[in-house]
Amino acid sequence: MKVEFAPLSLPLQRRLQTAAVVQWVFSFLALAQCCIAAFIALFFTRFWLVSALYAAWWFLDREKPRKGGRRIHVLRKSIVWRYMRDYFPITLVKTAELDPRQNYLVGFHPHGVLAAGAFLNFCTEASGFSTLFPGITPHLMMLSLWFRIPFFRDYVMSGGLVPSDKESASYVLQKPEGGNLLAIIVGGAQEALDARPGSCTLLLKNRKGFVRLAIEHGTPLVPVFSFGDNDLYEQVRNPKGSWLRWLQHRLQQIMGISLPLFHARGIFQYSFGLIPYRRPIFTVVGKPIPVQKKHSPSKEEVDQVHEKYLNELTKLFEEHKAKYNIPEDRHLQFI
């Protein structure tokens, strides 16, 4: 006998979608601190053995993040991420095939405030990555700092996140069987300081390390532009030269992470809060750019491939911007 469930009402669906986004925002803004507090606090309770055993496990497992991490497919496929996808909504757009016999290095743009498009498309199955690109295993690079936090490191590894260092990148890209995709948010934390609605400014002009990495491994470069990622939050005005921008840069140099002062809507009201606006995101995956392998590429060779990458990314943006309500007179700006 087949059991059919009544569809959820629209108000209930919206509440579930908001709850999914709230837990995601919380995981980036507060979960790490909670994990540190819990790890330390347990030592002063009768459950001290939990932290002691975890510390031993942490030591033995310390190299795992640099060895591709430990993804948990049940968590990647959780219904929570589908609710998060529908909140905005987020759509992954395929423009070319990716050969599962090869590895790929993806440049993701822009960072946005909290990199919503990058996380949901590459760290979950909510947008159907495995269906669109069968045989490809995605990895997303994240600041190494987060992998030093107890418990939290296991949470981020479950989705396919790996530390943003050369050792981690090389481990993924040098796998001879192919079928691996390494996504790098090239603008990084610094680019987040320019993330605001309507912005098309990318911190990319002098960022060439990912290009050198692709040449050293002979890995095709894939440009990705996520339309709408910058539209999720408003940000306190922080022009270059202002005291706020200076302070943010200083904190980034000290801590390794940027601290944009952002706001959007609340949980129960729409005027102010830390919950992102309900604005659509379209993450467009471009065509692979072939790269010839060379162990020690010269500066000129890196510059040549980097210029080609900029041209292909610009072409991808121009070809698709009209579909996603970007004004005709708006173009990418590289700084």
Side-chain angles (χ1 to χ4, degrees), residues 193-243:
L193 298 177
D194 288 312
R196 47 178 45 86
S199 174
C200 292
T201 301
L202 301 180
L203 187 61
L204 186 56
K205 189 175 182 180
N206 296 311
R207 300 239 165 164
K208 302 176 183 179
F210 74 106
V211 173
R212 181 177 293 276
L213 189 65
I215 297 174
E216 289 174 351
H217 292 86
T219 307
L221 283 163
V222 182
V224 171
F225 194 88
S226 195
F227 293 89
D229 246 305
N230 276 344
D231 299 333
L232 306 184
Y233 287 99
E234 301 287 348
Q235 190 170 168
V236 174
R237 192 168 180 274
N238 59 342
K240 292 180 180 179
S242 65
W243 69 268

Side-chain angles (χ1 to χ4, degrees), residues 23-318:
Q23 69 82 30
W24 170 72
V25 172
F26 170 79
S27 72
F28 277 92
L29 299 183
L31 184 57
Q33 293 92 321
C34 291
C35 287
I36 295 172
F39 179 74
I40 296 172
L42 284 171
F43 276 112
F44 299 94
T45 71
R46 60 178 177 170
F47 301 107
W48 64 270
L49 190 58
V50 174
S51 286
L53 290 174
Y54 184 85
W57 159 253
W58 187 6
F59 176 77
L60 295 172
D61 194 56
R62 62 189 181 281
E63 293 299 320
K64 191 62 179 179
R66 291 189 175 89
K67 303 298 181 183
R70 185 187 301 105
R71 65 185 58 229
I72 301 175
H73 292 287
V74 172
L75 295 181
R76 282 180 56 89
K77 296 178 180 179
S78 171
I79 192 172
V80 172
W81 307 128
R82 296 202 294 274
Y83 282 123
M84 177 180 166
R85 172 200 65 196
D86 294 337
Y87 172 90
F88 297 100
I90 296 178
T91 305
L92 183 61
V93 181
K94 173 182 176 180
T95 65
E97 295 290 340
L98 297 184
D99 186 350
R101 294 170 296 180
Q102 282 192 305
N103 296 318
Y104 295 92
L105 181 58
V106 162
F108 186 94
H109 315 273
H111 183 286
V113 170
L114 292 179
F119 175 82
L120 191 128
N121 286 307
F122 297 121
C123 298
T124 81
E125 287 296 330
S127 59
F129 182 92
S130 294
T131 302
L132 287 174
F133 302 103
I136 303 292
T137 300
H139 304 264
L140 177 65
M141 301 200 86
M142 186 182 192
L143 282 174
S144 301
L145 166 71
W146 302 111
F147 295 89
R148 300 171 192 157
I149 300 174
F151 305 122
F152 188 76
R153 69 189 287 274
D154 300 282
Y155 167 70
V156 295
M157 279 197 294
S158 70
L161 285 155
V162 296
S164 56
D165 56 50
K166 192 171 183 179
E167 182 182 345
S168 302
S170 296
Y171 182 87
V172 173
L173 297 178
Q174 68 188 7
K175 289 187 175 182
E177 68 275 15
N180 289 282
L181 179 150
L182 181 68
I184 301 177
I185 307 178
V186 182
Q190 188 175 344
E191 189 177 80
L193 298 177
D194 288 312
R196 47 178 45 86
S199 174
C200 292
T201 301
L202 301 180
L203 187 61
L204 186 56
K205 189 175 182 180
N206 296 311
R207 300 239 165 164
K208 302 176 183 179
F210 74 106
V211 173
R212 181 177 293 276
L213 189 65
I215 297 174
E216 289 174 351
H217 292 86
T219 307
L221 283 163
V222 182
V224 171
F225 194 88
S226 195
F227 293 89
D229 246 305
N230 276 344
D231 299 333
L232 306 184
Y233 287 99
E234 301 287 348
Q235 190 170 168
V236 174
R237 192 168 180 274
N238 59 342
K240 292 180 180 179
S242 65
W243 69 268
L244 177 57
R245 189 62 166 247
W246 176 86
L247 179 61
Q248 289 172 324
H249 275 303
R250 288 293 297 164
L251 289 173
Q252 183 188 346
Q253 291 171 352
I254 296 169
M255 301 168 58
I257 57 176
S258 66
L259 295 172
L261 298 181
F262 59 90
H263 61 89
R265 50 159 288 191
I267 300 175
F268 304 109
Q269 43 76 32
Y270 301 95
S271 57
F272 189 84
L274 298 179
I275 309 304
Y277 294 120
R278 284 181 180 268
R279 292 173 179 171
I281 296 174
F282 297 92
T283 303
V284 184
V285 181
K287 297 185 298 183
I289 303 169
V291 175
Q292 187 173 0
K293 184 175 182 178
K294 188 169 184 180
H295 182 65
S296 299
S298 65
K299 181 182 182 300
E300 291 72 24
E301 289 169 325
V302 171
D303 289 344
Q304 184 179 4
V305 176
H306 183 261
E307 185 65 29
K308 186 174 183 180
Y309 180 87
L310 294 183
N311 292 336
E312 289 297 322
L313 179 61
T314 301
K315 182 180 177 182
L316 181 72
F317 178 83
E318 293 295 332

Side-chain angles (χ1 to χ4, degrees), residues 7-19 83 87 265 267-268 270 278:
L8 298 175
S9 64
L10 183 59
L12 180 56
Q13 288 183 43
R14 285 187 169 268
R15 291 192 190 100
L16 290 171
Q17 291 166 8
T18 302
Y83 282 123
Y87 172 90
R265 50 159 288 191
I267 300 175
F268 304 109
Y270 301 95
R278 284 181 180 268

